[in-house]
Amino acid sequence: QVQLVESGGGLVQPGGSLRLSCAASGFRLASYSVGWFRLAPGKEREGVSCISSSGGSTDYAESVKGRFTISIDNAKNTVYLQMNSLKPEDTANYYCARLKAPFCTIATMRIYDYWGQGTQVTVSS
């Protein structure tokens, strides 16, 4: 059974850090690209970051460049999103999703076929 399970969300003060995890089961992440997306109240879901199946290519939304880092641990079948210098506008429910392709993109979500349930990130003082 294919599953993606996000964890690591929580409440953090502005300027703080969190590391989100996306644990995959039922398939090997090394054969898929993975994207992180977020949905905030009153806003559309937006792409945050992605990593290609080889791990050799990554992409980031302009709003998170220099603050977020995506990585993959194939031995643990897990993708991570390290989030530093968090801002209140980063508050959202964060989802990971898989893409059967050698490339990754955050420009469209429709090509991702399996999604996790999300983990809530709240940045507030």
Side-chain angles (χ1 to χ4, degrees):
Q1 181 182 0
V2 172
Q3 274 194 315
L4 291 167
V5 180
E6 302 94 336
S7 62
L11 173 64
V12 64
Q13 292 187 340
S17 298
L18 284 173
R19 188 178 77 158
L20 304 185
S21 299
C22 172
S25 59
F27 69 101
R28 295 301 303 169
L29 267 181
S31 299
Y32 291 81
S33 297
V34 174
W36 281 98
F37 301 85
R38 65 187 181 187
L39 180 61
K43 296 185 179 180
E44 293 186 357
R45 189 175 298 195
E46 64 171 338
V48 176
S49 180
C50 66
I51 187 165
S52 64
S53 54
S54 68
S57 178
T58 60
D59 196 15
Y60 296 92
E62 284 297 323
S63 59
V64 308
K65 276 183 182 177
R67 300 188 297 122
F68 291 10
T69 303
I70 192 170
S71 62
I72 186 168
D73 185 334
N74 284 317
K76 294 184 177 179
N77 219 30
T78 299
V79 169
Y80 301 99
L81 185 67
Q82 178 67 44
M83 307 187 298
N84 299 327
S85 303
L86 283 161
K87 304 176 181 180
E89 51 263 43
D90 294 317
T91 295
N93 206 351
Y94 285 71
Y95 302 85
C96 64
R98 74 169 196 181
L99 168 62
K100 184 62 173 175
F103 62 90
C104 82
T105 178
I106 55 173
T108 179
M109 288 163 266
R110 280 185 262 182
I111 54 177
Y112 287 80
D113 63 351
Y114 273 91
W115 292 73
Q117 294 301 305
T119 185
Q120 178 67 35
V121 171
T122 303
V123 185
S124 175
S125 55

PDB file of all heavy atoms in Angstrom, residues 28-50:
ATOM      1  N   ARG A  28       9.619   2.626  -3.462  1.00  0.00           N
ATOM      2  CA  ARG A  28      10.945   3.174  -3.210  1.00  0.00           C
ATOM      3  C   ARG A  28      10.998   4.624  -3.684  1.00  0.00           C
ATOM      4  O   ARG A  28      10.765   4.927  -4.860  1.00  0.00           O
ATOM      5  CB  ARG A  28      12.012   2.348  -3.950  1.00  0.00           C
ATOM      6  CG  ARG A  28      12.132   0.925  -3.446  1.00  0.00           C
ATOM      7  CD  ARG A  28      12.492   0.884  -1.962  1.00  0.00           C
ATOM      8  NE  ARG A  28      13.746   1.603  -1.662  1.00  0.00           N
ATOM      9  CZ  ARG A  28      14.155   1.892  -0.435  1.00  0.00           C
ATOM     10  NH1 ARG A  28      13.420   1.552   0.615  1.00  0.00           N
ATOM     11  NH2 ARG A  28      15.290   2.527  -0.244  1.00  0.00           N
ATOM     12  N   LEU A  29      11.339   5.517  -2.780  1.00  0.00           N
ATOM     13  CA  LEU A  29      11.422   6.931  -3.125  1.00  0.00           C
ATOM     14  C   LEU A  29      12.465   7.192  -4.199  1.00  0.00           C
ATOM     15  O   LEU A  29      12.338   8.155  -4.961  1.00  0.00           O
ATOM     16  CB  LEU A  29      11.768   7.758  -1.879  1.00  0.00           C
ATOM     17  CG  LEU A  29      10.609   8.336  -1.094  1.00  0.00           C
ATOM     18  CD1 LEU A  29      11.134   9.128   0.083  1.00  0.00           C
ATOM     19  CD2 LEU A  29       9.708   9.192  -1.960  1.00  0.00           C
ATOM     20  N   ALA A  30      13.472   6.372  -4.272  1.00  0.00           N
ATOM     21  CA  ALA A  30      14.540   6.596  -5.233  1.00  0.00           C
ATOM     22  C   ALA A  30      14.032   6.564  -6.672  1.00  0.00           C
ATOM     23  O   ALA A  30      14.714   7.052  -7.581  1.00  0.00           O
ATOM     24  CB  ALA A  30      15.628   5.545  -5.044  1.00  0.00           C
ATOM     25  N   SER A  31      12.853   6.018  -6.883  1.00  0.00           N
ATOM     26  CA  SER A  31      12.284   5.945  -8.237  1.00  0.00           C
ATOM     27  C   SER A  31      11.336   7.088  -8.541  1.00  0.00           C
ATOM     28  O   SER A  31      10.749   7.139  -9.632  1.00  0.00           O
ATOM     29  CB  SER A  31      11.536   4.614  -8.408  1.00  0.00           C
ATOM     30  OG  SER A  31      12.408   3.511  -8.245  1.00  0.00           O
ATOM     31  N   TYR A  32      11.163   7.995  -7.573  1.00  0.00           N
ATOM     32  CA  TYR A  32      10.199   9.074  -7.721  1.00  0.00           C
ATOM     33  C   TYR A  32      10.807  10.402  -7.315  1.00  0.00           C
ATOM     34  O   TYR A  32      11.683  10.470  -6.465  1.00  0.00           O
ATOM     35  CB  TYR A  32       8.974   8.823  -6.834  1.00  0.00           C
ATOM     36  CG  TYR A  32       8.122   7.662  -7.283  1.00  0.00           C
ATOM     37  CD1 TYR A  32       8.476   6.361  -6.956  1.00  0.00           C
ATOM     38  CD2 TYR A  32       6.976   7.868  -8.040  1.00  0.00           C
ATOM     39  CE1 TYR A  32       7.703   5.293  -7.380  1.00  0.00           C
ATOM     40  CE2 TYR A  32       6.192   6.808  -8.460  1.00  0.00           C
ATOM     41  CZ  TYR A  32       6.569   5.516  -8.128  1.00  0.00           C
ATOM     42  OH  TYR A  32       5.805   4.471  -8.552  1.00  0.00           O
ATOM     43  N   SER A  33      10.302  11.462  -7.914  1.00  0.00           N
ATOM     44  CA  SER A  33      10.574  12.795  -7.414  1.00  0.00           C
ATOM     45  C   SER A  33       9.541  13.119  -6.340  1.00  0.00           C
ATOM     46  O   SER A  33       8.444  12.548  -6.330  1.00  0.00           O
ATOM     47  CB  SER A  33      10.491  13.809  -8.554  1.00  0.00           C
ATOM     48  OG  SER A  33      11.483  13.529  -9.522  1.00  0.00           O
ATOM     49  N   VAL A  34       9.892  14.019  -5.457  1.00  0.00           N
ATOM     50  CA  VAL A  34       8.999  14.378  -4.348  1.00  0.00           C
ATOM     51  C   VAL A  34       8.888  15.888  -4.243  1.00  0.00           C
ATOM     52  O   VAL A  34       9.886  16.602  -4.353  1.00  0.00           O
ATOM     53  CB  VAL A  34       9.520  13.797  -3.021  1.00  0.00           C
ATOM     54  CG1 VAL A  34       8.665  14.295  -1.851  1.00  0.00           C
ATOM     55  CG2 VAL A  34       9.517  12.276  -3.067  1.00  0.00           C
ATOM     56  N   GLY A  35       7.683  16.328  -4.019  1.00  0.00           N
ATOM     57  CA  GLY A  35       7.450  17.760  -3.835  1.00  0.00           C
ATOM     58  C   GLY A  35       6.830  18.045  -2.484  1.00  0.00           C
ATOM     59  O   GLY A  35       6.143  17.202  -1.913  1.00  0.00           O
ATOM     60  N   TRP A  36       7.100  19.240  -1.973  1.00  0.00           N
ATOM     61  CA  TRP A  36       6.443  19.764  -0.773  1.00  0.00           C
ATOM     62  C   TRP A  36       5.550  20.922  -1.212  1.00  0.00           C
ATOM     63  O   TRP A  36       5.992  21.808  -1.957  1.00  0.00           O
ATOM     64  CB  TRP A  36       7.456  20.262   0.248  1.00  0.00           C
ATOM     65  CG  TRP A  36       8.117  19.198   1.060  1.00  0.00           C
ATOM     66  CD1 TRP A  36       9.349  18.639   0.856  1.00  0.00           C
ATOM     67  CD2 TRP A  36       7.600  18.570   2.241  1.00  0.00           C
ATOM     68  NE1 TRP A  36       9.616  17.707   1.828  1.00  0.00           N
ATOM     69  CE2 TRP A  36       8.556  17.637   2.691  1.00  0.00           C
ATOM     70  CE3 TRP A  36       6.405  18.693   2.963  1.00  0.00           C
ATOM     71  CZ2 TRP A  36       8.373  16.848   3.822  1.00  0.00           C
ATOM     72  CZ3 TRP A  36       6.221  17.905   4.080  1.00  0.00           C
ATOM     73  CH2 TRP A  36       7.195  16.994   4.507  1.00  0.00           C
ATOM     74  N   PHE A  37       4.344  20.915  -0.709  1.00  0.00           N
ATOM     75  CA  PHE A  37       3.380  21.955  -1.001  1.00  0.00           C
ATOM     76  C   PHE A  37       2.765  22.413   0.309  1.00  0.00           C
ATOM     77  O   PHE A  37       2.817  21.706   1.309  1.00  0.00           O
ATOM     78  CB  PHE A  37       2.298  21.426  -1.949  1.00  0.00           C
ATOM     79  CG  PHE A  37       2.844  20.927  -3.254  1.00  0.00           C
ATOM     80  CD1 PHE A  37       3.326  19.626  -3.375  1.00  0.00           C
ATOM     81  CD2 PHE A  37       2.899  21.760  -4.364  1.00  0.00           C
ATOM     82  CE1 PHE A  37       3.856  19.163  -4.564  1.00  0.00           C
ATOM     83  CE2 PHE A  37       3.426  21.307  -5.566  1.00  0.00           C
ATOM     84  CZ  PHE A  37       3.905  20.006  -5.665  1.00  0.00           C
ATOM     85  N   ARG A  38       2.178  23.597   0.293  1.00  0.00           N
ATOM     86  CA  ARG A  38       1.542  24.077   1.520  1.00  0.00           C
ATOM     87  C   ARG A  38       0.229  24.774   1.193  1.00  0.00           C
ATOM     88  O   ARG A  38       0.054  25.335   0.111  1.00  0.00           O
ATOM     89  CB  ARG A  38       2.475  25.005   2.291  1.00  0.00           C
ATOM     90  CG  ARG A  38       2.824  26.308   1.592  1.00  0.00           C
ATOM     91  CD  ARG A  38       3.885  27.064   2.394  1.00  0.00           C
ATOM     92  NE  ARG A  38       4.243  28.336   1.773  1.00  0.00           N
ATOM     93  CZ  ARG A  38       5.233  29.110   2.196  1.00  0.00           C
ATOM     94  NH1 ARG A  38       5.977  28.753   3.259  1.00  0.00           N
ATOM     95  NH2 ARG A  38       5.483  30.258   1.596  1.00  0.00           N
ATOM     96  N   LEU A  39      -0.651  24.710   2.184  1.00  0.00           N
ATOM     97  CA  LEU A  39      -1.964  25.327   2.056  1.00  0.00           C
ATOM     98  C   LEU A  39      -2.245  26.120   3.312  1.00  0.00           C
ATOM     99  O   LEU A  39      -2.280  25.564   4.413  1.00  0.00           O
ATOM    100  CB  LEU A  39      -3.039  24.249   1.862  1.00  0.00           C
ATOM    101  CG  LEU A  39      -4.467  24.741   1.709  1.00  0.00           C
ATOM    102  CD1 LEU A  39      -4.605  25.641   0.486  1.00  0.00           C
ATOM    103  CD2 LEU A  39      -5.433  23.564   1.626  1.00  0.00           C
ATOM    104  N   ALA A  40      -2.408  27.412   3.117  1.00  0.00           N
ATOM    105  CA  ALA A  40      -2.721  28.307   4.236  1.00  0.00           C
ATOM    106  C   ALA A  40      -4.170  28.743   4.137  1.00  0.00           C
ATOM    107  O   ALA A  40      -4.727  28.810   3.033  1.00  0.00           O
ATOM    108  CB  ALA A  40      -1.799  29.521   4.199  1.00  0.00           C
ATOM    109  N   PRO A  41      -4.796  29.071   5.268  1.00  0.00           N
ATOM    110  CA  PRO A  41      -6.199  29.496   5.245  1.00  0.00           C
ATOM    111  C   PRO A  41      -6.401  30.686   4.322  1.00  0.00           C
ATOM    112  O   PRO A  41      -5.637  31.660   4.377  1.00  0.00           O
ATOM    113  CB  PRO A  41      -6.468  29.881   6.704  1.00  0.00           C
ATOM    114  CG  PRO A  41      -5.495  29.086   7.486  1.00  0.00           C
ATOM    115  CD  PRO A  41      -4.260  29.008   6.630  1.00  0.00           C
ATOM    116  N   GLY A  42      -7.378  30.574   3.456  1.00  0.00           N
ATOM    117  CA  GLY A  42      -7.700  31.679   2.564  1.00  0.00           C
ATOM    118  C   GLY A  42      -6.788  31.800   1.356  1.00  0.00           C
ATOM    119  O   GLY A  42      -6.939  32.753   0.574  1.00  0.00           O
ATOM    120  N   LYS A  43      -5.868  30.870   1.206  1.00  0.00           N
ATOM    121  CA  LYS A  43      -4.932  30.931   0.073  1.00  0.00           C
ATOM    122  C   LYS A  43      -5.009  29.640  -0.731  1.00  0.00           C
ATOM    123  O   LYS A  43      -5.494  28.620  -0.258  1.00  0.00           O
ATOM    124  CB  LYS A  43      -3.504  31.138   0.577  1.00  0.00           C
ATOM    125  CG  LYS A  43      -3.266  32.449   1.282  1.00  0.00           C
ATOM    126  CD  LYS A  43      -1.793  32.615   1.648  1.00  0.00           C
ATOM    127  CE  LYS A  43      -1.534  33.933   2.330  1.00  0.00           C
ATOM    128  NZ  LYS A  43      -0.101  34.100   2.682  1.00  0.00           N
ATOM    129  N   GLU A  44      -4.488  29.704  -1.932  1.00  0.00           N
ATOM    130  CA  GLU A  44      -4.407  28.498  -2.760  1.00  0.00           C
ATOM    131  C   GLU A  44      -3.176  27.682  -2.354  1.00  0.00           C
ATOM    132  O   GLU A  44      -2.201  28.223  -1.844  1.00  0.00           O
ATOM    133  CB  GLU A  44      -4.302  28.883  -4.231  1.00  0.00           C
ATOM    134  CG  GLU A  44      -5.558  29.536  -4.784  1.00  0.00           C
ATOM    135  CD  GLU A  44      -5.485  29.778  -6.279  1.00  0.00           C
ATOM    136  OE1 GLU A  44      -4.438  29.490  -6.879  1.00  0.00           O
ATOM    137  OE2 GLU A  44      -6.481  30.255  -6.836  1.00  0.00           O
ATOM    138  N   ARG A  45      -3.255  26.382  -2.624  1.00  0.00           N
ATOM    139  CA  ARG A  45      -2.105  25.535  -2.347  1.00  0.00           C
ATOM    140  C   ARG A  45      -0.951  25.979  -3.233  1.00  0.00           C
ATOM    141  O   ARG A  45      -1.142  26.242  -4.429  1.00  0.00           O
ATOM    142  CB  ARG A  45      -2.443  24.071  -2.618  1.00  0.00           C
ATOM    143  CG  ARG A  45      -1.374  23.103  -2.139  1.00  0.00           C
ATOM    144  CD  ARG A  45      -1.809  21.660  -2.307  1.00  0.00           C
ATOM    145  NE  ARG A  45      -2.986  21.326  -1.517  1.00  0.00           N
ATOM    146  CZ  ARG A  45      -3.386  20.080  -1.278  1.00  0.00           C
ATOM    147  NH1 ARG A  45      -2.702  19.066  -1.766  1.00  0.00           N
ATOM    148  NH2 ARG A  45      -4.466  19.869  -0.572  1.00  0.00           N
ATOM    149  N   GLU A  46       0.236  26.040  -2.683  1.00  0.00           N
ATOM    150  CA  GLU A  46       1.383  26.486  -3.456  1.00  0.00           C
ATOM    151  C   GLU A  46       2.554  25.522  -3.290  1.00  0.00           C
ATOM    152  O   GLU A  46       2.696  24.862  -2.260  1.00  0.00           O
ATOM    153  CB  GLU A  46       1.823  27.894  -3.037  1.00  0.00           C
ATOM    154  CG  GLU A  46       2.326  28.003  -1.611  1.00  0.00           C
ATOM    155  CD  GLU A  46       2.953  29.358  -1.301  1.00  0.00           C
ATOM    156  OE1 GLU A  46       3.376  30.057  -2.243  1.00  0.00           O
ATOM    157  OE2 GLU A  46       3.036  29.699  -0.109  1.00  0.00           O
ATOM    158  N   GLY A  47       3.360  25.469  -4.324  1.00  0.00           N
ATOM    159  CA  GLY A  47       4.555  24.641  -4.280  1.00  0.00           C
ATOM    160  C   GLY A  47       5.619  25.308  -3.445  1.00  0.00           C
ATOM    161  O   GLY A  47       5.817  26.518  -3.523  1.00  0.00           O
ATOM    162  N   VAL A  48       6.302  24.513  -2.640  1.00  0.00           N
ATOM    163  CA  VAL A  48       7.354  25.019  -1.766  1.00  0.00           C
ATOM    164  C   VAL A  48       8.728  24.574  -2.261  1.00  0.00           C
ATOM    165  O   VAL A  48       9.632  25.391  -2.437  1.00  0.00           O
ATOM    166  CB  VAL A  48       7.135  24.531  -0.325  1.00  0.00           C
ATOM    167  CG1 VAL A  48       8.276  24.982   0.576  1.00  0.00           C
ATOM    168  CG2 VAL A  48       5.801  25.031   0.211  1.00  0.00           C
ATOM    169  N   SER A  49       8.858  23.280  -2.493  1.00  0.00           N
ATOM    170  CA  SER A  49      10.147  22.740  -2.903  1.00  0.00           C
ATOM    171  C   SER A  49       9.955  21.356  -3.494  1.00  0.00           C
ATOM    172  O   SER A  49       8.929  20.702  -3.252  1.00  0.00           O
ATOM    173  CB  SER A  49      11.096  22.659  -1.692  1.00  0.00           C
ATOM    174  OG  SER A  49      12.360  22.137  -2.080  1.00  0.00           O
ATOM    175  N   CYS A  50      10.932  20.909  -4.273  1.00  0.00           N
ATOM    176  CA  CYS A  50      10.882  19.541  -4.783  1.00  0.00           C
ATOM    177  C   CYS A  50      12.300  19.034  -5.004  1.00  0.00           C
ATOM    178  O   CYS A  50      13.250  19.826  -5.094  1.00  0.00           O
ATOM    179  CB  CYS A  50      10.065  19.437  -6.061  1.00  0.00           C
ATOM    180  SG  CYS A  50      10.759  20.304  -7.475  1.00  0.00           S
TER     181      CYS A  50
END
